[in-house]
Amino acid sequence: MREITPKRIREMKGKEKITMVTAYDYPSALLADKAGIDIVFVGDSLGMVVYGEPNTLNVSMEQMVFHTRAVAKAVKRALVLADMPFSSYEVSVEEGVKNAVRLIQAGADAVKIEGGADHEKLVRKLVRMGIPVMGHTGLTPQRYLRLGGYRLMGETEEEIEEILRDAKALERAGAFAVVLEFTLADVAKLVTEEVSIPTIGIGSGPWVDGQVLVWHDLLGIYENVPPFVKKYADLSSIIRLALERYREEVKSGKFPAKEHYWEYQDKEDFERKA
Ligand code: KIV
Ligand code: NA
């Protein structure tokens, strides 16, 4: 079992901030784990940042299983969390259970679902059978079509009530934490005070129990970055510069240089063998 467990995450509430970042493959998960991040998260955001889709609605269970397997192989210390993709848990509790099991068998320590109040039964069932669950409310990208795009949540009383209702339902059903995405900071603060489980914010301000960001956003790899992201690096320009230098050196004959290839020391030696 890995060092960071759902129990440890719960105990961090009010004591230390929880850190979470997405990772979708082996090398990135290795780096996130070595950097001491608490939760390495295989998010369905991979549909957008890895597969180039305009939203997360086309992500399949197969994709989530493959990426979870790669991430799980790399992570020794952090909690490995995997997203349940769109339509993998909404149709029935039975289907949700089967799909959650697939992610656990691929190496995840816990699964995440979007919504709360609508899925209380599923969350309770998963927790009872030993699968830790994280919820997700506020902006729920799988409801992209109904929401009419990605936007700030919690501006109306109705939305605040729905967010609170979700968080409380998740707490009641036994979820170990909840993501609050792109809500007004005051709303996230209220939810954080109202529930006993940790809240992990993204674009929801500082008054939450932890933060999550998408790998490609925080490292400056992806071009369409939400306004709440802080770019901690500009990897796209570093990568592009390296690729341009490689291209130029191949064109000019500078690469490969003497240290990158091997030849017979003696030309005659080679000719004898050839
Ligand atoms: O898929 C994802 O990356 C997410 C985070 C934005 C919380 O769900
Ligand atoms: Na997600």
Side-chain angles (χ1 to χ4, degrees), residues 2-236:
R2 297 182 178 99
E3 198 180 317
I4 307 296
T5 58
K7 185 169 172 281
R8 283 276 301 271
I9 297 294
R10 281 187 82 140
E11 288 165 358
M12 287 182 193
K13 186 172 175 105
K15 295 198 187 82
E16 77 177 277
K17 294 279 187 183
I18 298 156
T19 55
M20 170 162 150
V21 69
T22 70
Y24 314 105
D25 59 18
Y26 182 84
S28 48
L30 211 56
L31 288 169
D33 196 38
K34 286 192 171 151
I37 299 289
D38 297 313
I39 303 176
V40 176
F41 169 46
V42 189
D44 67 349
S45 50
L46 65 80
M48 298 170 73
V49 298
V50 176
Y51 289 94
E53 296 279 343
N55 53 52
T56 57
L57 301 182
N58 286 323
V59 176
S60 67
M61 271 305 297
E62 284 65 36
Q63 284 173 310
M64 294 309 300
V65 165
F66 281 133
H67 286 275
T68 298
R69 197 169 288 148
V71 165
K73 279 187 187 136
V75 176
K76 297 280 180 286
R77 175 186 173 273
L79 183 114
V80 175
L81 176 72
D83 237 347
M84 301 278 292
F86 182 57
S87 90
S88 71
Y89 58 98
E90 296 91 333
V91 179
S92 69
V93 170
E94 288 69 28
E95 254 184 68
V97 169
K98 275 191 190 153
N99 286 320
V101 166
R102 288 181 67 190
L103 295 174
I104 295 297
Q105 289 176 338
D109 300 311
V111 299
K112 180 168 81 55
I113 59 154
E114 288 188 14
D118 294 341
H119 304 301
E120 212 178 319
K121 224 174 136 190
L122 172 64
V123 175
R124 186 165 284 122
K125 171 84 183 160
L126 290 173
V127 171
R128 282 225 184 109
M129 66 186 278
I131 299 179
V133 182
M134 187 183 290
H136 181 159
T137 185
L139 171 59
T140 45
Q142 292 175 8
R143 293 180 189 134
Y144 174 80
L145 296 174
R146 195 196 78 198
L147 292 172
Y150 301 129
R151 59 174 175 85
L152 184 64
M153 303 296 292
E155 291 190 291
T156 65
E157 243 170 75
E158 203 186 331
E159 279 178 11
I160 298 172
E161 249 167 51
E162 192 179 331
I163 294 165
L164 258 177
R165 191 165 0 106
D166 277 346
K168 288 191 171 167
L170 288 161
E171 175 188 40
R172 201 162 46 234
F176 72 98
V178 55
V179 165
L180 299 178
E181 181 164 354
F182 208 18
T183 71
L184 283 169
D186 320 70
V187 176
K189 181 172 187 279
L190 175 72
V191 176
T192 302
E193 289 165 354
E194 288 286 320
V195 296
S196 62
I197 55 174
T199 56
I200 300 176
I202 173 162
S204 300
W207 306 301
V208 285
D209 300 307
Q211 297 289 332
V212 53
L213 282 178
V214 167
W215 181 269
H216 294 62
D217 294 348
L218 96 95
L219 293 175
I221 306 173
Y222 190 60
E223 64 279 13
N224 287 321
V225 178
F228 49 75
V229 169
K230 179 169 176 181
K231 263 198 200 181
Y232 284 88
D234 184 13
L235 285 200
S236 62

